[in-house]
Amino acid sequence: MGVVDLITRVDSICKKYEKYDIDKQREANVSGDDAFSRLYSAVESALETVLQKTEDLSSETNKAKAVAMNAEIRRTKARLLEGIPKLQRLALKKVKGLSKEELDVRNDLVLSLSDKIEAIPETSAPVVGGWEASTSYSNIRFDTNVSNHRIGSEYFEPTRESDQFKQEYEMKRIKQACQDQGLDYIAEGLDTLKNMAQDINEELDRQEPLMDEIDTKIDKAATDLKSTNVRLKDTVTKLRSSRNFCIDIILLCILLGIAAFIYK
Amino acid sequence: MSSDPDKMMSKADKMTKLTLTRWSADWRGATELYEQAANGFRASNKYEKAKVALEKASKGQEMQASPWDAAKHMESAAALAQKLSIWNEVADFYRKASELYVECGRAQPASDALGKAARALEDVKPDDAIQLYTDACEILEEDGRDQMAFDLYRACANVYIKLEKFTDAATFFLRLGVAADKCDATNSQCKAYLSAIILYLYAHDLQQAEKCYNDCSQIDAFLKSDQSRSASRLLTAYNEGDIEEIKKVASSSTVSNLDHMIIKLARKLPTGDVTTIQMNTNDDLDEDDLT
């Protein structure tokens, strides 16, 4: 491990355990009566914590936690920015035991502080995520109204996953539109079918008594026909019965005999 | 029997005339001759003479107490008269035929005859046609065969629409509804009511249309039907003056299943200014508020 590393490590450790540094605290407490200094130190410490958080965020692998931290950062940033005008007012106030130059300096301090706050990055750096984009439930909408400024393209840094999400959402939306159209066609067809079916139903109802009438009439005609047939059969058999046939033959022979006799 | 139809006609006439030598007319022989003569005339395209022959044949059959044949001949005569465009004869013959059918106790052919007459006269004498249609419907209703009357009611309403008497046409649709109610033909009934409402709206009579809708809603079958939903949508669209909605309802499938004349009228809705109708209803409210 090189010297540089050592130095950086020492610095970070000192920073971490600053609150145990009595000297520094005493220094800070000197300006405890001054409202401005108090507020200023408070804001500064808050700013430091936020910056620390952003650094943690960049190393955060859990997406959910990253999102939560992002939200927290944004919230704190907003609060700090709200506190800035108060600080500015206090800076302009004259405090006893303070020189004019220090007053100006305070103003500058406030401005620089506000710049620093605004410079806090609000988004996470592109994370090399290890997980697959899950199937998005299309039509989930996000209300991005957390802070009342800077809503727009700067607010959202597209990541690979979010792009994929977007694409899938668009595809699903188009598919759904096609489905809706198809369903509309089907609905129209079904309406026509329903109407036709009802008309057929009524027509069948109308024709039922007619069919019954036809049925009875045909039954009557059929029975008439049957009886006529039977009678006809009787007549025909009677006509062609063997007795009559024999009588016919005998009479024919007699006739032929008489004819032969006459011509002889 | 000579094959010349004219000769047959004269012979038959002689047979039917009562003279000193002939004490009773020989209707059977005469009728036969008349029929043959009529066929001969028709074959030679002498329609006027054929018509006369058929008339006489029908009379002969009547005398022989066979109204069915008589009616049949009358119908043929009427068809020939139609070909010759002698319209009052058409109406008379068909009426006579219808009466003869009623004598036989056959209501369906009777109303068919009147229906044919009405169809023939639709373009020429629409009022007579309407009368004939009404009579035909009455015959069927008396016989209890309401379902056959639907087509006649629809045809009659179409005639009224052609004459632009929309309220009369709507009345006929309501009568159709009554007939449909008797035989539980709910689909036809609902369609008839929707057609009536559309006709009232076309005639620019929103109050009447609403009254009609309210009356029809008393009927359970109509209340639960698609047609009543379309009607209520149409009426609300009219009340709000929403032309887009009116057009949407008019081109919906429910309206497209009605008679084609009604569809044509529906597509032409809204007639006139919908906003004026709206204004009128608003005025009424203001008056009420003042009192």
Side-chain angles (χ1 to χ4, degrees):
Chain A
M1 186 179 300
V3 179
V4 180
D5 292 323
L6 266 171
I7 293 172
T8 38
R9 276 190 120 199
V10 167
D11 273 347
S12 58
I13 291 170
C14 282
K15 217 173 178 181
K16 211 169 169 186
Y17 295 108
E18 234 174 18
K19 58 180 175 184
Y20 301 117
D21 191 351
I22 303 171
D23 291 346
K24 209 168 182 182
Q25 292 290 16
R26 241 188 283 134
E27 203 183 314
N29 278 337
V30 163
S31 50
D33 300 331
D34 195 357
F36 170 80
S37 352
R38 252 183 291 142
L39 194 55
Y40 182 83
S41 48
V43 173
E44 208 172 343
S45 50
L47 185 62
E48 299 258 336
T49 40
V50 169
L51 284 165
Q52 185 64 41
K53 272 202 200 135
T54 43
E55 279 172 34
D56 290 345
L57 194 63
S58 53
S59 53
E60 185 63 60
T61 46
N62 190 351
K63 265 276 158 74
K65 269 203 202 151
V67 168
M69 285 170 83
N70 249 332
E72 174 106 23
I73 289 167
R74 268 177 261 158
R75 226 197 350 251
T76 335
K77 189 170 157 181
R79 235 174 338 137
L80 289 174
L81 280 166
E82 275 166 24
I84 287 290
K86 195 173 174 195
L87 204 59
Q88 271 183 329
R89 267 182 285 126
L90 280 172
L92 293 169
K93 239 199 275 180
K94 268 209 183 229
V95 185
K96 56 179 179 191
L98 217 58
S99 63
K100 196 169 179 295
E101 289 117 13
E102 271 198 71
L103 212 61
D104 294 325
V105 165
R106 279 188 179 181
N107 223 350
D108 291 328
L109 279 171
V110 169
L111 285 168
S112 64
L113 197 62
S114 67
D115 284 331
K116 259 194 262 176
I117 293 173
E118 298 207 327
I120 299 173
E122 285 174 310
T123 66
S124 61
V127 178
V128 182
W131 61 333
E132 200 91 47
S134 62
T135 52
S136 63
Y137 303 96
S138 51
N139 292 335
I140 295 175
R141 286 204 307 226
F142 300 96
D143 274 349
T144 51
N145 266 337
V146 176
S147 61
N148 41 13
H149 47 233
R150 280 233 235 138
I151 299 171
S153 50
E154 302 175 357
Y155 200 59
F156 173 62
E157 216 177 272
T159 65
R160 209 182 65 200
E161 272 79 18
S162 68
D163 270 339
Q164 270 181 328
F165 279 142
K166 231 188 197 174
Q167 271 177 10
E168 264 194 57
Y169 170 67
E170 289 292 324
M171 264 176 22
K172 293 241 162 138
R173 204 164 55 127
I174 292 170
K175 258 192 241 171
Q176 202 171 42
C178 289
Q179 268 181 1
D180 281 341
Q181 219 181 28
L183 284 172
D184 279 335
Y185 283 140
I186 293 176
E188 263 183 53
L190 279 175
D191 269 331
T192 321
L193 257 180
K194 178 182 171 196
N195 182 57
M196 280 181 14
Q198 281 176 326
D199 283 342
I200 289 174
N201 184 32
E202 282 185 6
E203 194 60 39
L204 284 172
D205 284 337
R206 202 199 292 201
Q207 296 194 348
E208 196 197 326
L210 297 177
M211 294 296 281
D212 288 338
E213 257 188 57
I214 291 178
D215 205 17
T216 36
K217 282 193 189 161
I218 288 192
D219 280 341
K220 188 159 155 290
T223 42
D224 279 346
L225 210 62
K226 255 195 221 158
S227 62
T228 313
N229 272 345
V230 165
R231 275 205 311 227
L232 199 64
K233 196 170 160 199
D234 282 341
T235 321
V236 167
T237 42
K238 217 165 128 192
L239 269 173
R240 302 181 81 192
S241 65
S242 41
R243 197 179 62 163
N244 290 350
F245 202 56
C246 293
I247 292 174
D248 287 335
I249 291 178
I250 290 169
L251 286 173
L252 204 66
C253 294
I254 293 173
L255 216 62
L256 282 170
I258 293 172
F261 188 64
I262 291 174
Y263 279 120
K264 269 245 180 78
Chain B
M1 296 288 172
S2 59
S3 53
D4 186 13
D6 286 310
K7 282 217 189 93
M8 280 196 266
M9 282 289 286
S10 45
K11 197 158 177 195
D13 283 332
K14 263 188 254 165
M15 282 164 103
T16 54
K17 262 202 217 31
L18 294 170
T19 56
L20 278 170
T21 48
R22 200 186 285 276
W23 288 64
S24 64
D26 178 18
W27 284 110
R28 216 157 63 111
T31 316
E32 270 180 46
L33 285 170
Y34 280 133
E35 282 169 11
Q36 282 174 11
N39 287 338
F41 281 131
R42 234 197 300 225
S44 50
N45 290 344
K46 290 188 194 151
Y47 295 122
E48 177 71 49
K49 294 209 178 140
K51 181 172 67 75
V52 173
L54 282 169
E55 257 185 88
K56 297 207 178 136
S58 159
K59 184 114 194 303
Q61 294 284 14
E62 222 186 308
M63 291 297 170
Q64 286 181 285
S66 53
W68 179 260
D69 294 312
K72 274 248 156 350
H73 287 315
M74 259 309 174
E75 266 198 85
S76 326
L80 286 170
Q82 192 179 339
K83 228 185 242 182
L84 294 167
S85 308
I86 309 172
W87 303 115
N88 51 353
E89 277 194 12
V90 168
D92 288 333
F93 287 166
Y94 271 124
R95 265 194 206 280
K96 191 100 202 296
S98 154
E99 279 163 27
L100 288 164
Y101 279 127
V102 169
E103 246 184 75
C104 295
R106 311 279 293 273
Q108 183 65 46
S111 92
D112 280 343
L114 289 178
K116 276 189 228 167
R119 223 161 290 135
L121 293 176
E122 248 178 28
D123 296 318
V124 188
K125 283 193 188 177
D127 299 311
D128 289 345
I130 288 166
Q131 187 59 42
L132 286 161
Y133 274 128
T134 329
D135 294 337
C137 298
E138 275 169 19
I139 292 176
L140 284 173
E141 282 178 353
E142 269 171 29
D143 206 41
R145 290 159 169 268
D146 294 279
Q147 276 183 323
M148 310 296 169
F150 292 170
D151 293 322
L152 292 166
Y153 279 126
R154 271 200 280 263
C156 188
N158 278 339
V159 172
Y160 267 128
I161 290 173
K162 262 193 255 181
L163 294 173
E164 306 218 340
K165 292 188 187 157
F166 298 116
T167 38
D168 293 323
T171 325
F172 263 93
F173 273 117
L174 293 173
R175 277 176 73 173
L176 210 180
V178 170
D181 195 45
K182 254 194 272 175
C183 29
D184 288 327
T186 43
N187 194 29
S188 294
Q189 191 182 11
C190 300
K191 285 206 275 198
Y193 289 146
L194 182 60
S195 312
I197 292 173
I198 290 179
L199 278 167
Y200 280 130
L201 286 174
Y202 192 79
H204 226 47
D205 199 348
L206 185 60
Q207 323 292 351
Q208 194 69 284
E210 288 194 341
K211 253 199 290 173
C212 181
Y213 176 68
N214 288 335
D215 291 335
C216 299
S217 307
Q218 307 292 330
I219 299 168
D220 232 359
F222 181 68
L223 194 62
K224 289 189 241 170
S225 69
D226 291 333
Q227 282 84 7
S228 99
R229 235 179 298 137
S230 301
S232 71
R233 272 171 69 191
L234 205 54
L235 286 168
T236 34
Y238 251 93
N239 275 322
E240 292 168 1
D242 187 357
I243 298 187
E244 280 305 311
E245 181 67 22
I246 294 175
K247 292 235 179 278
K248 233 201 303 181
V249 175
S251 44
S252 74
S253 58
T254 322
V255 169
S256 310
N257 289 333
L258 303 172
D259 281 344
H260 65 277
M261 298 282 279
I262 306 288
I263 297 174
K264 262 192 269 183
L265 293 179
R267 302 251 195 268
K268 285 196 215 153
L269 283 176
T271 50
D273 212 3
V274 184
T275 46
T276 52
I277 298 176
Q278 199 187 9
M279 292 289 277
N280 286 337
T281 51
N282 282 342
D283 285 338
D284 286 342
L285 278 171
D286 285 337
E287 283 180 24
D288 285 346
D289 285 344
L290 283 172
T291 55

